[in-house]
Structures are given as C-alpha cells and as structure tokens.
Amino acid sequence: MTDRALAVVRAGALTTVQDTGRPGHAHLGVPRSGALDGPTAALVNRLVGNPPGAAVLETTLSGVAVRPRSAVVAAVAGAPCAVTVDGRPAAWGAPVHVPAGAVLDVGPAVKGVRCYVAVSGGIAVAPVLGSRSTDLLSGLGPPPLADGMVLPLGPPTALHARVDVAPRPSPPRELVLHVTLGPRDDWFTADAVRTFTSRAYRVSPASNRIGLRTEGPALERSGPGELPSEGMVLGAVQVPPDGRPVVFLADHPTTGGYPVIAVVRAQDLPAAAQAVPGTPVRFIAVRAR
Amino acid sequence: MRTLRVGDDALLVEVSSGEQAQALHAELLRRRAEGSLSAREIVPAARTVLLDGIPDPARLASELTACEVPAAPPRAREVVELAVRYDGPDLADVAAHWGVRPEEVARIHADTEFTVAFCGFAPGFGYLTGLPARYHVPRRDTPRTAVPAGSVALAGPYTGVYPRSSPGGWQLIGTTDAVLWDHTRVPAALLAPGTRVRFVPAAARRRS
C-alpha cells in the first residue's frame, strides 16, 4: 500500500463513499446513487482542489474519524459539526491541513444529517460502472466504511482553495419541496391530491438513501387496481399502500409499481438529505417548466 | 400512445401492450444512436418507456404523440442460452396451476423463446416475456426471505432469474449457474432489454 491512503479510525453509524453516481444504467436495473447533497459534495471537493466529481465520504449523524498516511488537505461541510485534527479544533467549511498520521475527526451532526468529507486526491477505490459510489439498494460499489478499513487516495490535482469559509444553506427547519403533479396523480382522489399539497407531513425515522419517508395524512387512491411496473426518477413521490408519500433519493429502485403522485424539483432534493426525522415537510405544487 | 410529464426533465410514454413498449423502446434507442434524440436514460417497463434527462420534454411529447409506434420490435440476432436444472421447490405448485405433470413444466418452459421486456428489481434482473397467458401464475402468498442466486422463477406474465440472493415472492421452478451480473465483465448484465433467451435443460445439453 502506498502512502496515499486513509485509515478509518471510527467509521460512524453509516459512512459511505460517494461521487456523482452512475446514471445511464437504469435500463439494467442499476440505481444512480451518488451524494445525496450533491452541491455540498462538489463544494468540499473544490475546497481541497479536487474536480467536483471526485469521491468523498458521506457521513450519517455521528460523523467519522480517519487517519491519512501522508499529509493531505481535507474539507468538511454539510451538516454543521465539530472538526478536530489530533484533538485540536479545526475549521468546518474550509480547507484543513492534516499532517501524516494525524486523526481528522468529524464530530456528530449538530444540525442536519450528513457531513461531506473531501480529501485532496479523492477517495480512489476501484470504480464500478464509472462510479465509486456505494449503492445501498443493490450493493454496488465499496461497502460502507468499517473501523480499520484502509481507503486508497488519488494523486492531488490542484492547489486547495483560498477561502476562510464557504457558504451553504443551513439544514432546513422545515423542508419545503416543490413538486410537479403526475405522472399518476389521477390514481388518487381529488381530496388526496389536495391533502398532499396542503397538509403538513414529517420526515420519518425510516428514511434512508433510498427514500425520504414521511408521516402524515394517508393519501387515498381513486380506485382499485395495480399499476404495472414503470420507470422511476430521482425525486419521484411514490405512494405505497399505506398512503404515506416516499420521496425517492439517490439509491432509489429504477422501476416500481406504486403510483407516483408527483415529482420533487431537483434543486429541493439536497435539503432533503439534511432533514432530520421529525422535520416538518410541505409539498407545494408548481407547474412543470 | 400517451405521454405523461414526469417532473421537469422526464417523460413517461404509455402504450397499450408489452410488445408495443418493446417496439417503442427499440425505436427510441435507434433515434438516440442516430443523434435525433437526446436522453440520459431510456427505461422500458411493462407498458411504458421512461425518458429521463431530456432537454425539452414538452416538445418531445408533441413529437412522439404525432408518430406511430412501430408494429413489432426488431428481433435481436443472438439468443442467450441459459442451462437450467428444473428442480425448483415450487415446480409442483406451478404444475398444478398449469394442470400438467411437473416434467411437462420443464418441457413447456424450455420450448418457449423469451425476450427480456425490461430490467429492474436488481442489477441484471430481467423480466422475460414469452409464456402464453394460460401459463401465467400468481406470486406466492408469502414471499421467501432469501431466494438463492440463479433461481429461475415465474410470476404473472414473467420469467426471471435472480442475479444474487435476495428476498422474493416468485414461484421457483429451477436453477441456473449462469452469471447474470458481473460488474467486472463487459457487458456487466447478461440480459438487457430486447435480448432473446432460451432455457436449455442442463441434462439435455450434456447429451448433445
């Protein structure tokens, strides 16, 4: 093993390797995957001088600790959290120098859910179908991090950014998701469509990288019958038999048989990645562009 | 043919049969290859084709509504043969549904030429059509928590082969050693939409 590597000291609850995912293979049943909060993943890459699509670490609530074998520049953003290098406080949302053998500790999320950790050179695990992303639905890509695992790093390509702090929106107090109705809103009663776009929902603790599950009023179908399986998109709001909307996130299945009442606009999805269980959710209907 | 908007940059094209969906899928792939259609994903399914990552959905919708679905999908030249042992735990149940003896299930299944209508559920899992309607069977009342990789299974109008061990509610009629998915292989998926497939009883193949 070369010096360009990162040892995992504390894997955290669920830390995965993510880049921009593997779109283009949905017809083979391959989910897109990729960072749930893509703009933040691109930002931490820019901060350390990586191309925006380099692989980063995506943590879940409890952070991660890693020990690079050679000196690296790292950057942490997304959910606000304490960052330390060998126990000394370090910057969040800005480039941080981590000496060889020092421990970069990304603490638990103070607000929000997911931190993104970029390291100069990027995480260089072997790509699968052009992407290094962990796909939790179908098991493609590297497994989630485990204590003691060693991750290879690529060669640094550019100097890190000269910034003190890079602004990103705070994790949402209320998650406002703009949706365009359809393609299967006609599978629901008019009342159900009104309920969906006017009543309050909450983020369910059962949410994960596959879908943001919600709690709230059940949506009633207008009739019996089963929808034959059809292709699914990122942001599709699928309504399973329990009537509670599920917003499809990066690891969503490529086809599905529950009707999609609406689709969330792409620009609202990064905020969904940072919404903790219990966060109020509002779906606001807008016209398709 | 009906087009439905799916968010800001996707379109779901709905047709009236699985055959039409396969034909439309082949036509859309042809258009993308010749450069007259731009789409990141073209995903066929039971009665629809999803076009995702398209620059102007409204315009494409009006273009597609104005055109006819080709009569039949062009047939792939090659047939993928899958050696199968008809030894599944649900063989007797399927035979009872069909009203035949278990060994007849193997003969009927192996005499059928299948086409991969679409993929989904897991990387490399194809939904294969070809069995006549009288041989369609329901899913099992209680899904199994673990179906072994390589299981050849039936549900509704479809035959499928589990690429890896997973939970599943399909009726298991046999087993194949074929590797349905290998991400280090090119192509990774043995079965892609449009692929023709035949199941060859393993014993019969050894004799030839």
Side-chain angles (χ1 to χ4, degrees):
Chain A
M1 183 76 69
T2 73
D3 277 358
R4 300 289 311 161
L6 208 57
V8 177
V9 177
R10 177 176 66 84
L14 173 65
T15 303
T16 60
V17 176
Q18 297 296 337
D19 55 17
T20 50
R22 46 183 74 84
H25 306 282
H27 62 289
L28 300 176
V30 175
R32 71 172 59 215
S33 296
L36 288 195
D37 183 348
T40 299
L43 169 72
V44 287
N45 271 324
R46 276 202 301 279
L47 291 174
V48 302
N50 288 347
V56 301
L57 301 179
E58 179 184 279
T59 70
T60 314
L61 293 169
S62 64
V64 70
V66 290
R67 186 198 303 272
R69 289 184 175 170
S70 59
V72 296
V73 177
V76 181
C81 65
V83 178
T84 62
V85 175
D86 269 351
R88 276 187 288 278
W92 177 95
V96 171
H97 289 272
V98 185
V103 173
L104 169 72
D105 190 281
V106 176
V110 176
K111 285 190 290 179
V113 180
R114 295 173 173 93
C115 292
Y116 290 85
V117 186
V119 178
S120 48
I123 310 295
V125 295
V128 172
L129 299 179
S131 166
R132 299 182 164 92
S133 290
T134 299
D135 169 357
L136 293 176
L137 181 75
S138 56
L140 299 182
L145 266 58
D147 293 354
M149 191 185 263
V150 176
L151 298 168
L153 296 176
T157 50
L159 283 178
H160 66 84
R162 302 263 168 211
V163 293
D164 293 328
V165 67
R168 279 287 301 148
S170 265
R173 264 183 237 282
E174 179 188 44
L175 187 59
V176 177
L177 301 176
H178 296 90
V179 296
T180 55
L181 289 178
R184 300 296 178 188
D185 50 323
D186 59 346
W187 277 59
F188 298 88
T189 63
D191 265 357
V193 174
R194 256 194 310 276
T195 297
F196 171 62
T197 54
S198 60
R199 298 274 299 276
Y201 286 83
R202 283 179 315 281
V203 174
S204 154
S207 300
N208 54 27
R209 285 184 43 86
I210 297 164
L212 182 92
R213 292 175 179 275
T214 65
E215 293 166 344
L219 303 178
E220 196 193 343
R221 289 201 196 169
S222 53
E226 242 186 283
L227 185 70
S229 278
E230 59 190 26
M232 290 287 143
V233 300
L234 184 68
V237 184
Q238 213 190 38
V239 183
D242 74 1
R244 269 77 189 191
V246 178
V247 180
F248 273 177
L249 301 179
D251 287 352
H252 72 84
T254 58
T255 59
Y258 298 133
V260 170
I261 191 169
V263 177
V264 176
R265 286 214 157 149
Q267 62 264 41
D268 292 348
L269 290 171
Q274 299 296 358
V276 295
T279 303
V281 183
R282 266 192 309 143
F283 295 99
I284 296 179
V286 293
R287 289 175 61 86
R289 272 181 291 232
Chain B
M1 185 153 65
R2 184 164 84 116
T3 58
L4 301 161
R5 291 290 299 268
V6 180
D8 286 328
D9 62 355
L11 208 57
L12 191 66
V13 190
E14 191 172 49
V15 291
S16 47
S17 72
E19 279 244 306
Q20 282 190 5
Q22 291 177 37
L24 175 65
H25 175 239
E27 168 65 12
L28 293 171
L29 286 183
R30 191 190 63 75
R31 290 191 192 187
R32 183 165 68 174
E34 75 172 19
S36 63
L37 169 71
S38 165
R40 188 177 57 234
E41 308 271 12
I42 302 180
V43 188
R47 296 281 182 277
T48 56
V49 180
L50 172 74
L51 292 150
D52 192 9
I54 48 178
D56 191 346
R59 201 174 114 196
L60 184 60
S62 57
E63 273 175 34
L64 288 175
T65 326
C67 79
E68 298 270 312
V69 188
R75 295 172 70 74
R77 271 178 312 234
E78 286 192 31
V79 179
V80 171
E81 290 196 348
L82 299 177
V84 59
R85 297 179 297 280
Y86 286 100
D87 57 2
D90 301 327
L91 199 63
D93 285 355
V94 170
H97 270 292
W98 288 8
V100 301
R101 285 175 293 119
E103 50 274 31
E104 281 292 283
V105 172
R107 189 189 59 75
I108 292 163
H109 195 257
D111 279 352
T112 305
E113 184 177 297
F114 292 89
T115 304
V116 181
F118 59 99
C119 294
F121 174 63
F125 184 92
Y127 291 78
L128 279 56
T129 52
L131 278 178
R134 64 181 178 281
Y135 297 134
H136 297 178
V137 292
R139 285 160 200 260
R140 287 172 52 79
D141 291 337
T142 310
R144 290 185 170 85
T145 52
V147 173
S151 294
V152 177
L154 306 181
Y158 304 114
T159 287
V161 184
Y162 285 78
R164 61 187 178 117
S165 174
S166 55
W170 290 32
Q171 312 269 4
L172 310 185
I173 61 166
T175 317
T176 178
D177 296 329
V179 178
L180 276 291
W181 176 263
D182 175 359
H183 70 255
T184 64
R185 180 177 69 190
V186 178
L190 189 58
L191 308 180
T195 304
R196 291 159 71 194
V197 181
R198 266 188 179 283
F199 291 90
V200 181
R205 202 153 102 139
R206 269 201 295 274
R207 275 203 299 274
S208 62

CSV table of all heavy atoms in Angstrom, one decimal, chain B residues 120-164:
chain,number,residue,atom,x,y,z
B,120,GLY,N,-35.0,-4.5,-13.9
B,120,GLY,CA,-35.4,-3.8,-12.6
B,120,GLY,C,-35.2,-4.7,-11.5
B,120,GLY,O,-34.7,-5.8,-11.6
B,121,PHE,N,-35.6,-4.3,-10.3
B,121,PHE,CA,-35.6,-5.0,-9.1
B,121,PHE,C,-34.1,-5.2,-8.5
B,121,PHE,O,-33.9,-4.9,-7.4
B,121,PHE,CB,-36.2,-6.4,-9.2
B,121,PHE,CG,-36.1,-7.3,-8.0
B,121,PHE,CD1,-36.6,-7.0,-6.8
B,121,PHE,CD2,-35.3,-8.5,-8.2
B,121,PHE,CE1,-36.5,-7.8,-5.7
B,121,PHE,CE2,-35.2,-9.3,-7.1
B,121,PHE,CZ,-35.7,-9.0,-5.8
B,122,ALA,N,-33.2,-5.5,-9.4
B,122,ALA,CA,-31.8,-5.6,-9.0
B,122,ALA,C,-31.0,-5.5,-10.3
B,122,ALA,O,-31.5,-5.9,-11.4
B,122,ALA,CB,-31.5,-7.0,-8.3
B,123,PRO,N,-29.7,-5.1,-10.2
B,123,PRO,CA,-28.9,-5.0,-11.4
B,123,PRO,C,-28.8,-6.4,-12.1
B,123,PRO,O,-28.5,-7.4,-11.5
B,123,PRO,CB,-27.5,-4.6,-10.9
B,123,PRO,CG,-27.8,-3.8,-9.7
B,123,PRO,CD,-29.0,-4.5,-9.1
B,124,GLY,N,-29.2,-6.4,-13.4
B,124,GLY,CA,-29.1,-7.7,-14.1
B,124,GLY,C,-30.4,-8.6,-14.0
B,124,GLY,O,-30.4,-9.6,-14.6
B,125,PHE,N,-31.4,-8.1,-13.3
B,125,PHE,CA,-32.6,-8.9,-13.2
B,125,PHE,C,-33.5,-8.5,-14.4
B,125,PHE,O,-34.0,-7.4,-14.5
B,125,PHE,CB,-33.4,-8.7,-11.9
B,125,PHE,CG,-34.6,-9.5,-11.8
B,125,PHE,CD1,-34.5,-10.8,-11.1
B,125,PHE,CD2,-35.9,-9.1,-12.2
B,125,PHE,CE1,-35.6,-11.6,-11.0
B,125,PHE,CE2,-37.0,-9.9,-12.1
B,125,PHE,CZ,-36.9,-11.2,-11.5
B,126,GLY,N,-33.8,-9.5,-15.3
B,126,GLY,CA,-34.6,-9.2,-16.5
B,126,GLY,C,-36.0,-9.7,-16.3
B,126,GLY,O,-36.2,-10.8,-15.7
B,127,TYR,N,-37.0,-9.0,-16.8
B,127,TYR,CA,-38.4,-9.5,-16.8
B,127,TYR,C,-38.6,-10.1,-18.2
B,127,TYR,O,-38.7,-9.4,-19.2
B,127,TYR,CB,-39.4,-8.4,-16.5
B,127,TYR,CG,-39.4,-7.9,-15.1
B,127,TYR,CD1,-38.4,-7.0,-14.7
B,127,TYR,CD2,-40.3,-8.2,-14.2
B,127,TYR,CE1,-38.3,-6.5,-13.4
B,127,TYR,CE2,-40.3,-7.8,-12.9
B,127,TYR,CZ,-39.3,-6.9,-12.5
B,127,TYR,OH,-39.3,-6.4,-11.2
B,128,LEU,N,-38.7,-11.5,-18.3
B,128,LEU,CA,-38.7,-12.1,-19.6
B,128,LEU,C,-40.2,-12.5,-19.9
B,128,LEU,O,-40.9,-13.1,-19.1
B,128,LEU,CB,-37.9,-13.4,-19.5
B,128,LEU,CG,-36.4,-13.3,-19.7
B,128,LEU,CD1,-35.8,-12.4,-18.7
B,128,LEU,CD2,-35.7,-14.7,-19.5
B,129,THR,N,-40.6,-12.1,-21.1
B,129,THR,CA,-41.9,-12.4,-21.6
B,129,THR,C,-41.8,-13.5,-22.7
B,129,THR,O,-40.7,-13.7,-23.3
B,129,THR,CB,-42.6,-11.2,-22.2
B,129,THR,OG1,-41.8,-10.6,-23.1
B,129,THR,CG2,-43.0,-10.2,-21.1
B,130,GLY,N,-42.9,-14.2,-22.9
B,130,GLY,CA,-42.9,-15.2,-24.0
B,130,GLY,C,-43.9,-16.4,-23.6
B,130,GLY,O,-44.5,-17.0,-24.5
B,131,LEU,N,-44.1,-16.6,-22.3
B,131,LEU,CA,-45.1,-17.7,-21.9
B,131,LEU,C,-46.5,-17.2,-22.3
B,131,LEU,O,-46.9,-16.1,-22.0
B,131,LEU,CB,-45.0,-17.9,-20.4
B,131,LEU,CG,-43.9,-18.9,-19.9
B,131,LEU,CD1,-44.0,-19.0,-18.4
B,131,LEU,CD2,-44.0,-20.2,-20.6
B,132,PRO,N,-47.3,-18.1,-22.9
B,132,PRO,CA,-48.7,-17.8,-23.3
B,132,PRO,C,-49.5,-17.5,-22.0
B,132,PRO,O,-49.1,-18.0,-20.9
B,132,PRO,CB,-49.2,-19.0,-23.9
B,132,PRO,CG,-48.0,-19.8,-24.4
B,132,PRO,CD,-46.9,-19.4,-23.4
B,133,ALA,N,-50.6,-16.7,-22.1
B,133,ALA,CA,-51.3,-16.3,-20.9
B,133,ALA,C,-51.8,-17.4,-20.1
B,133,ALA,O,-51.9,-17.3,-18.9
B,133,ALA,CB,-52.5,-15.4,-21.4
B,134,ARG,N,-52.1,-18.6,-20.7
B,134,ARG,CA,-52.6,-19.7,-19.8
B,134,ARG,C,-51.6,-20.3,-18.9
B,134,ARG,O,-51.9,-21.0,-17.9
B,134,ARG,CB,-53.2,-20.9,-20.7
B,134,ARG,CG,-52.1,-21.6,-21.6
B,134,ARG,CD,-52.8,-22.7,-22.4
B,134,ARG,NE,-51.9,-23.3,-23.3
B,134,ARG,CZ,-51.4,-22.8,-24.5
B,134,ARG,NH1,-51.8,-21.7,-24.9
B,134,ARG,NH2,-50.6,-23.5,-25.2
B,135,TYR,N,-50.3,-19.9,-19.1
B,135,TYR,CA,-49.2,-20.3,-18.1
B,135,TYR,C,-48.8,-19.3,-17.1
B,135,TYR,O,-47.8,-19.4,-16.5
B,135,TYR,CB,-48.0,-20.8,-18.9
B,135,TYR,CG,-48.3,-22.0,-19.8
B,135,TYR,CD1,-47.9,-22.1,-21.2
B,135,TYR,CD2,-49.0,-23.1,-19.3
B,135,TYR,CE1,-48.2,-23.2,-22.0
B,135,TYR,CE2,-49.3,-24.2,-20.1
B,135,TYR,CZ,-48.9,-24.2,-21.4
B,135,TYR,OH,-49.2,-25.3,-22.2
B,136,HIS,N,-49.5,-18.1,-17.1
B,136,HIS,CA,-49.2,-17.1,-16.1
B,136,HIS,C,-49.6,-17.6,-14.7
B,136,HIS,O,-50.7,-18.2,-14.6
B,136,HIS,CB,-49.9,-15.8,-16.4
B,136,HIS,CG,-49.4,-15.2,-17.8
B,136,HIS,ND1,-49.9,-14.1,-18.3
B,136,HIS,CD2,-48.5,-15.7,-18.6
B,136,HIS,CE1,-49.3,-13.8,-19.4
B,136,HIS,NE2,-48.5,-14.8,-19.7
B,137,VAL,N,-48.8,-17.3,-13.7
B,137,VAL,CA,-49.1,-17.8,-12.4
B,137,VAL,C,-49.0,-16.6,-11.4
B,137,VAL,O,-48.2,-15.7,-11.6
B,137,VAL,CB,-48.1,-18.9,-11.9
B,137,VAL,CG1,-48.3,-20.2,-12.7
B,137,VAL,CG2,-46.6,-18.4,-12.0
B,138,PRO,N,-49.7,-16.7,-10.3
B,138,PRO,CA,-49.6,-15.6,-9.3
B,138,PRO,C,-48.3,-15.7,-8.5
B,138,PRO,O,-47.7,-16.8,-8.5
B,138,PRO,CB,-50.8,-15.9,-8.4
B,138,PRO,CG,-51.1,-17.4,-8.5
B,138,PRO,CD,-50.7,-17.7,-9.9
B,139,ARG,N,-48.0,-14.6,-7.8
B,139,ARG,CA,-46.8,-14.7,-6.9
B,139,ARG,C,-47.2,-15.6,-5.7
B,139,ARG,O,-48.4,-15.8,-5.5
B,139,ARG,CB,-46.6,-13.3,-6.3
B,139,ARG,CG,-45.9,-12.4,-7.2
B,139,ARG,CD,-46.1,-10.9,-6.8
B,139,ARG,NE,-45.8,-10.1,-8.0
B,139,ARG,CZ,-44.7,-9.4,-8.1
B,139,ARG,NH1,-43.7,-9.5,-7.2
B,139,ARG,NH2,-44.5,-8.7,-9.2
B,140,ARG,N,-46.2,-16.0,-5.0
B,140,ARG,CA,-46.5,-16.8,-3.8
B,140,ARG,C,-47.2,-15.9,-2.7
B,140,ARG,O,-47.0,-14.7,-2.7
B,140,ARG,CB,-45.2,-17.4,-3.2
B,140,ARG,CG,-44.6,-18.5,-4.0
B,140,ARG,CD,-43.2,-18.8,-3.5
B,140,ARG,NE,-43.2,-19.1,-2.0
B,140,ARG,CZ,-43.7,-20.2,-1.5
B,140,ARG,NH1,-44.1,-21.2,-2.2
B,140,ARG,NH2,-43.6,-20.4,-0.2
B,141,ASP,N,-48.1,-16.5,-1.9
B,141,ASP,CA,-48.8,-15.7,-0.9
B,141,ASP,C,-47.8,-15.1,0.1
B,141,ASP,O,-48.0,-14.0,0.5
B,141,ASP,CB,-49.8,-16.6,-0.2
B,141,ASP,CG,-51.0,-17.1,-1.0
B,141,ASP,OD1,-51.2,-16.3,-2.0
B,141,ASP,OD2,-51.6,-18.1,-0.8
B,142,THR,N,-46.8,-15.9,0.5
B,142,THR,CA,-45.8,-15.4,1.4
B,142,THR,C,-44.5,-15.4,0.7
B,142,THR,O,-44.0,-16.5,0.3
B,142,THR,CB,-45.8,-16.3,2.7
B,142,THR,OG1,-47.1,-16.5,3.1
B,142,THR,CG2,-44.9,-15.7,3.7
B,143,PRO,N,-43.9,-14.2,0.5
B,143,PRO,CA,-42.6,-14.2,-0.1
B,143,PRO,C,-41.5,-14.9,0.7
B,143,PRO,O,-41.6,-14.9,2.0
B,143,PRO,CB,-42.3,-12.7,-0.2
B,143,PRO,CG,-43.5,-12.0,0.0
B,143,PRO,CD,-44.4,-12.9,0.9
B,144,ARG,N,-40.5,-15.4,0.1
B,144,ARG,CA,-39.4,-16.0,0.8
B,144,ARG,C,-38.5,-14.9,1.2
B,144,ARG,O,-38.3,-13.9,0.5
B,144,ARG,CB,-38.6,-17.0,-0.1
B,144,ARG,CG,-39.4,-18.3,-0.4
B,144,ARG,CD,-38.5,-19.2,-1.3
B,144,ARG,NE,-39.1,-20.5,-1.4
B,144,ARG,CZ,-40.0,-20.8,-2.3
B,144,ARG,NH1,-40.3,-20.0,-3.2
B,144,ARG,NH2,-40.5,-22.1,-2.3
B,145,THR,N,-37.8,-15.1,2.4
B,145,THR,CA,-36.9,-14.1,2.9
B,145,THR,C,-35.6,-14.1,2.1
B,145,THR,O,-34.9,-13.2,2.0
B,145,THR,CB,-36.6,-14.2,4.4
B,145,THR,OG1,-36.2,-15.5,4.6
B,145,THR,CG2,-37.9,-13.9,5.2
B,146,ALA,N,-35.2,-15.3,1.6
B,146,ALA,CA,-34.0,-15.5,0.8
B,146,ALA,C,-34.2,-16.5,-0.3
B,146,ALA,O,-34.5,-17.6,-0.1
B,146,ALA,CB,-32.9,-15.9,1.7
B,147,VAL,N,-34.1,-15.9,-1.6
B,147,VAL,CA,-34.2,-16.8,-2.8
B,147,VAL,C,-32.7,-16.9,-3.2
B,147,VAL,O,-32.1,-15.9,-3.4
B,147,VAL,CB,-35.1,-16.1,-3.8
B,147,VAL,CG1,-35.0,-16.9,-5.1
B,147,VAL,CG2,-36.5,-16.0,-3.4
B,148,PRO,N,-32.2,-18.1,-3.4
B,148,PRO,CA,-30.8,-18.3,-3.8
B,148,PRO,C,-30.5,-17.7,-5.2
B,148,PRO,O,-31.4,-17.7,-6.1
B,148,PRO,CB,-30.6,-19.8,-3.9
B,148,PRO,CG,-31.8,-20.4,-3.2
B,148,PRO,CD,-32.9,-19.4,-3.3
B,149,ALA,N,-29.3,-17.2,-5.4
B,149,ALA,CA,-28.9,-16.7,-6.7
B,149,ALA,C,-29.0,-17.8,-7.7
B,149,ALA,O,-28.8,-18.9,-7.4
B,149,ALA,CB,-27.4,-16.2,-6.6
B,150,GLY,N,-29.4,-17.4,-8.9
B,150,GLY,CA,-29.5,-18.4,-10.0
B,150,GLY,C,-30.9,-19.1,-10.1
B,150,GLY,O,-31.1,-19.9,-10.9
B,151,SER,N,-31.8,-18.7,-9.1
B,151,SER,CA,-33.1,-19.3,-9.2
B,151,SER,C,-33.9,-18.8,-10.4
B,151,SER,O,-33.9,-17.6,-10.7
B,151,SER,CB,-33.9,-18.9,-7.9
B,151,SER,OG,-33.3,-19.5,-6.8
B,152,VAL,N,-34.5,-19.8,-11.1
B,152,VAL,CA,-35.3,-19.4,-12.3
B,152,VAL,C,-36.8,-19.4,-11.8
B,152,VAL,O,-37.2,-20.4,-11.2
B,152,VAL,CB,-35.1,-20.4,-13.4
B,152,VAL,CG1,-36.1,-20.1,-14.6
B,152,VAL,CG2,-33.7,-20.5,-13.9
B,153,ALA,N,-37.5,-18.3,-12.0
B,153,ALA,CA,-38.7,-18.1,-11.3
B,153,ALA,C,-39.8,-17.5,-12.2
B,153,ALA,O,-39.5,-16.9,-13.2
B,153,ALA,CB,-38.5,-17.2,-10.1
B,154,LEU,N,-41.1,-17.8,-11.8
B,154,LEU,CA,-42.2,-17.3,-12.6
B,154,LEU,C,-43.1,-16.4,-11.7
B,154,LEU,O,-43.3,-16.7,-10.5
B,154,LEU,CB,-43.1,-18.4,-13.1
B,154,LEU,CG,-42.4,-19.5,-13.9
B,154,LEU,CD1,-43.5,-20.6,-14.3
B,154,LEU,CD2,-41.8,-19.0,-15.1
B,155,ALA,N,-43.7,-15.3,-12.3
B,155,ALA,CA,-44.7,-14.5,-11.6
B,155,ALA,C,-45.4,-13.7,-12.7
B,155,ALA,O,-44.8,-13.1,-13.5
B,155,ALA,CB,-44.1,-13.5,-10.6
B,156,GLY,N,-46.8,-13.8,-12.6
B,156,GLY,CA,-47.6,-13.1,-13.6
B,156,GLY,C,-47.1,-13.6,-15.0
B,156,GLY,O,-46.9,-14.8,-15.3
B,157,PRO,N,-47.0,-12.6,-16.0
B,157,PRO,CA,-46.6,-13.0,-17.3
B,157,PRO,C,-45.1,-13.2,-17.4
B,157,PRO,O,-44.6,-13.5,-18.5
B,157,PRO,CB,-47.0,-11.8,-18.1
B,157,PRO,CG,-47.0,-10.6,-17.2
B,157,PRO,CD,-47.3,-11.2,-15.8
B,158,TYR,N,-44.3,-13.1,-16.3
B,158,TYR,CA,-42.8,-13.0,-16.5
B,158,TYR,C,-42.1,-14.3,-15.9
B,158,TYR,O,-42.6,-15.0,-15.0
B,158,TYR,CB,-42.3,-11.8,-15.7
B,158,TYR,CG,-42.9,-10.5,-16.1
B,158,TYR,CD1,-43.7,-9.8,-15.2
B,158,TYR,CD2,-42.7,-10.0,-17.4
B,158,TYR,CE1,-44.3,-8.6,-15.6
B,158,TYR,CE2,-43.3,-8.8,-17.8
B,158,TYR,CZ,-44.0,-8.1,-16.9
B,158,TYR,OH,-44.6,-6.9,-17.3
B,159,THR,N,-40.9,-14.5,-16.6
B,159,THR,CA,-39.9,-15.4,-16.0
B,159,THR,C,-38.7,-14.5,-15.7
B,159,THR,O,-38.4,-13.6,-16.4
B,159,THR,CB,-39.5,-16.4,-17.1
B,159,THR,OG1,-40.5,-17.4,-17.3
B,159,THR,CG2,-38.2,-17.2,-16.7
B,160,GLY,N,-38.1,-14.9,-14.6
B,160,GLY,CA,-36.9,-14.1,-14.2
B,160,GLY,C,-35.8,-15.0,-13.6
B,160,GLY,O,-36.2,-16.1,-13.2
B,161,VAL,N,-34.6,-14.5,-13.5
B,161,VAL,CA,-33.5,-15.3,-12.9
B,161,VAL,C,-32.9,-14.4,-11.8
B,161,VAL,O,-32.5,-13.2,-12.2
B,161,VAL,CB,-32.4,-15.7,-13.9
B,161,VAL,CG1,-31.4,-16.6,-13.2
B,161,VAL,CG2,-33.0,-16.5,-15.0
B,162,TYR,N,-32.9,-14.8,-10.6
B,162,TYR,CA,-32.3,-13.9,-9.5
B,162,TYR,C,-30.8,-13.8,-9.7
B,162,TYR,O,-30.1,-14.8,-9.6
B,162,TYR,CB,-32.7,-14.5,-8.1
B,162,TYR,CG,-34.1,-14.3,-7.7
B,162,TYR,CD1,-35.1,-15.1,-8.3
B,162,TYR,CD2,-34.5,-13.3,-6.9
B,162,TYR,CE1,-36.5,-14.9,-7.9
B,162,TYR,CE2,-35.8,-13.1,-6.5
B,162,TYR,CZ,-36.8,-13.9,-7.0
B,162,TYR,OH,-38.1,-13.6,-6.7
B,163,PRO,N,-30.3,-12.6,-9.9
B,163,PRO,CA,-28.8,-12.4,-10.1
B,163,PRO,C,-28.0,-12.7,-8.8
B,163,PRO,O,-26.9,-13.0,-8.9
B,163,PRO,CB,-28.7,-11.0,-10.6
B,163,PRO,CG,-30.0,-10.5,-10.7
B,163,PRO,CD,-31.0,-11.3,-10.0
B,164,ARG,N,-28.7,-12.5,-7.7
B,164,ARG,CA,-28.0,-12.7,-6.4
B,164,ARG,C,-29.1,-13.1,-5.4
B,164,ARG,O,-30.3,-12.9,-5.7
B,164,ARG,CB,-27.2,-11.5,-5.9
B,164,ARG,CG,-28.1,-10.3,-5.7
B,164,ARG,CD,-27.3,-9.0,-5.5
B,164,ARG,NE,-28.2,-7.9,-5.3
B,164,ARG,CZ,-28.4,-7.2,-4.2
B,164,ARG,NH1,-27.7,-7.4,-3.2
B,164,ARG,NH2,-29.3,-6.2,-4.2
